[in-house]
Amino acid sequence: MSITIQDIADLAKVSKGTVSRVINGAPGVGAETRKRILKLIEELDYQPNASAQSLASRRSYNIGVIIPHTGSYSMSTTYWPALLTAITEKAASQDYNVLLSTARSEQDVDSAYRSILKGKRVDGLIVGAEQFGEKQLAELLLKDFPFVMVGKSTTFSHYYVDVDNVGGARRMTEYLVSLGHRKITMLAGPEILPSVQSRVRGFQEAMTKAQLDPGRVVYTSYQTADAEKSTLQILKEDPPTALFVAAADLVLGVLEAARKLKIKIPDQLALVTFDDHPFYPYLSPSITAVKQPIYELGRAAVEMLFALMGKKETAKQKILPVEIIVRGSSQPDPPLVAQPLPTSG
Amino acid sequence: MSITIQDIADLAKVSKGTVSRVINGAPGVGAETRKRILKLIEELDYQPNASAQSLASRRSYNIGVIIPHTGSYSMSTTYWPALLTAITEKAASQDYNVLLSTARSEQDVDSAYRSILKGKRVDGLIVGAEQFGEKQLAELLLKDFPFVMVGKSTTFSHYYVDVDNVGGARRMTEYLVSLGHRKITMLAGPEILPSVQSRVRGFQEAMTKAQLDPGRVVYTSYQTADAEKSTLQILKEDPPTALFVAAADLVLGVLEAARKLKIKIPDQLALVTFDDHPFYPYLSPSITAVKQPIYELGRAAVEMLFALMGKKETAKQKILPVEIIVRGSSQPDPPLVAQPLPTSG
DNA sequence: GCTTTTTACTAAACTGGTTTCGTTTTTCCC
DNA sequence: GGGAAAAACGAAACCAGTTTAGTAAAAAGC
C-alpha cells in the first residue's frame, strides 16, 4: 500500500524511533542521519498516517467548530462564513485542520459532540455560544477539555471571544439621539440570547442617560417572517422616529415590512442595524450599521484556543471593538461615501 | 483515562473482538451477549476512539472539502456557505464529519492536499473545481481516490456536479432579447474558468440565434475593483442597453460603477446577473437573477461522493437546472413581487 | 447417534505511528 | 588518558481499535 515509517527506517538503516524523531523535529538524532532520513522522506514523498499519529501521540491536529444556525437566512449573513474562513486559515497556519459541524437542533449538537469529542477527533473546540447545549458545555468544563466560545454565554463562565455588543449598541443609540431622535425603538432577537441582552443593555443605557424611554424594546425570533411581523406591529401601533435593528438576521424582515407600509427611509423613519454587510452601501437607502470585526474575532478565537490547548496563559475573554458606519438610512441627505463615526465620548 | 474497548470487554467478560463486532453490527455474536454489551456501552457512555478505528479499519469517516476562494468578497456570496451547510448536513446524516480547508493560493491547495489526503484523514474529497491545482487532481485520478468536483473542469474528465450554466445564461439572454434589447454585453469572470466559459457560451448561443453580436463579452477578474473598472469602461466606450453580469462576485463592482456614472437602472440600462442573493429584492432597483440551486448542489455532491466511496454505480455528472427570477432591474416598471420566468421554449 | 455444518467466541496478529528505557558511542574535562 | 557526561540510537512497549485464524459448543443432517 502506502509507504510507512518502517519503509523509511529500513531504507535509512535505522529504527522507526529515529525516523519518528526526525519527523517531529525531536532531538537525539545526528546531523548526518537526520539529513539522510529527510532526503528519503522527500524522495519518497512520505507522509505519516494521521490516524496512527493521533493514536500514538494523543493529538489529532484537528480543531472542531460547531456552528449552530437556526434560520435559513443565516447563510446569507456574512457572519459565520467570515468566522469560518478566519478560523480555518488561522488553524492552517499552525498545521491544524478544521472539523466542521453545523447544528440545527439540540440533537444535532449532541451527536456532533459525541462523534467529535468523545471519539477524540479534535484537540480543542470552538463553539458558537448562543445555542450550544448547556449539558454538553457543562461536560466540557468538567473534563477540562479546551474550548472557546464565540460570544458570551449567560450560564457559563468560560473563555470566550466577543465583540463589544454593549458599547456598540450604546454608541449607535447615542448617535441616533444626537440626530435629534426621541422615540427610538430597538428590534431585538430572542431575549434569551446573551448577545441580544448585551445589545439591549447598551441601548437602554444610552436611552436612560438621554432621559428617554428605555422600555422601547421588542423581542422577536430570527425568522424573517417573524421579524417582518414584529416590525409591522411596531410601525403601526407606536411608530418611532428611529428603528435600531439589533441583528443582521432581522434586516430582511424589517425591509419587507417597511416596503409594505411604504415608509420612506430615512425621511419617515431612520434605520440602523447591528452587523454590517457588503450590500448595505447599495441598498436604497444605504444602511447605517455597527460593523463587527468578524475576521479578527475568528482569529482571536483560534489564538485563545491554542493557548488553552498548550496550557499557556491567556486572558479569559477578549472583547473586540466595533465601528459605526454611517450611511444614508440614518440621515436625511445620504452621502455617496460612508463615513466612520468619530468615537463617542 | 478514557474508557476503552478493553474495559467493556472485561466487564462483559468477553474478548475485544466480540465487543468490536457489536459496535460495528457485525454478525457472529449471540443475542444475549450482544444485549449485555450494548447495555454496558450505553451505561458507560463509551465511544470508540476514532483514531484507533481509522487506523485499524482504514476508514476515517471524514470527508474533506477544499474550497478555493480568491477575492475577499467571496465571503459575502451565499454560494459557498450554502454549499458547505448542505455538504455538512448531508454528510452528518451518514455519520460522516467534514474536514475543511480553504485555499487562497496554489501553495495552500498543495499543503491542504498533503495533510488531508496523504495523511489518510479523509475517505473522499469534494473540491471546488475552479482553482484546484491540476497537479493534485491528476494525482487523485491516478490513485483512484474518490473525489467529486463542484463545477466542471476543463482539463479533467471526472465525476462532478454543476448547475446548468449554459442553459441559464442562454435563457437569461433570450429574456433580454425578448424585452427588445439589441445591444447586450456580458461582463464575465476570468476566461480560464469553466463556469465562465459555459456562461459565455450560453450568452453567445442566444445572441447568435437572435442575429445579434455575440462578441460583446468582457472578461475581468473577481476582484471588486476590477469589476468596477471593467464596467466603467464598458459603459463609457460602447454602452449596451442591457448588461448581463455573469457572476455574483462582480455585482458590487458593477453597482459601484453604475452609481459613479449616475446611470439609472433599468431606464438607461437593464441589469441582470447570474446567481441570486437574498438582498437582491431589496436593492434599488431589485435585481433580476439566475437562481442556482446551491443547497441541492451540495447534497448532490455528497451523494455522488458516497456512491464513489462505496464503489456504487453513479452517473459521471449531475447538472442541476436553474431558475430565472425577474425583478426590477430588467424591466421599466418593477413589480413588488418577483416573478419566476416561464420556461423558454 | 454420529458426523457435518454452523454459530459464538477467544487469542493473537495487525494497523502505523510515538515514547520510554537501556545500551553503545562520542565528546568533554581535568 | 581515563572517568563522567552527553549524544545517538535500537528494541520494545504502547496507543485502541479491527480482523483473521482457530476452537469449542450448538445445531443440523442423515
Side-chain angles (χ1 to χ4, degrees), chain A residues 164 168 171-172 273 275-276 289-293 320-326 339-341:
Chain A
D164 185 8
R171 281 169 50 201
M172 182 60 100
T273 78
D275 200 8
D276 199 20
V290 177
K291 182 176 183 168
Q292 313 185 61
L320 300 179
V322 299
E323 193 184 355
I324 290 180
I325 309 288
V326 173
Q339 319 156 335
L341 187 72

Side-chain angles (χ1 to χ4, degrees), chain A residues 5 16 20-21 24 46:
Chain A
I5 199 173
K16 297 197 298 180
S20 175
R21 265 162 234 145
N24 297 293
Y46 163 72

Side-chain angles (χ1 to χ4, degrees), chain B residues 37-110:
Chain B
I37 293 174
L38 282 175
K39 196 171 157 225
L40 274 170
I41 290 179
E42 171 79 13
E43 280 174 13
L44 300 180
D45 194 22
Y46 163 73
Q47 190 81 6
N49 179 305
S51 305
Q53 267 187 321
S54 302
L55 180 58
S57 70
R58 276 85 178 245
R59 259 171 291 121
S60 68
Y61 286 99
N62 287 154
I63 62 174
V65 175
I66 298 184
I67 298 181
H69 59 114
T70 40
S72 57
Y73 174 64
S74 56
M75 289 185 320
S76 60
T77 300
T78 50
Y79 189 79
W80 82 251
L83 202 58
L84 201 51
T85 306
I87 291 173
T88 310
E89 285 178 2
K90 183 73 182 171
S93 75
Q94 315 262 343
D95 289 320
Y96 266 75
N97 281 115
V98 169
L99 205 61
L100 179 67
S101 282
T102 57
R104 271 191 200 284
S105 62
E106 181 73 23
Q107 203 196 325
D108 282 359
V109 168
D110 203 63

Side-chain angles (χ1 to χ4, degrees), chain A residues 244-263:
Chain A
F244 188 168
V245 183
D249 307 72
L250 304 171
V251 169
L252 286 187
V254 171
L255 290 178
E256 189 61 35
R259 167 143 83 183
K260 280 193 179 147
L261 295 181
K262 299 206 164 114
I263 287 179

Side-chain angles (χ1 to χ4, degrees), chain B residues 277-308:
Chain B
H277 191 284
F279 271 124
Y280 285 174
Y282 300 94
L283 292 179
S284 177
S286 60
I287 293 188
T288 296
V290 177
K291 182 173 183 171
Q292 313 184 61
I294 304 174
Y295 196 84
E296 287 68 27
L297 195 65
R299 294 180 59 91
V302 176
E303 274 168 18
M304 191 178 272
L305 183 60
F306 279 144
L308 287 179

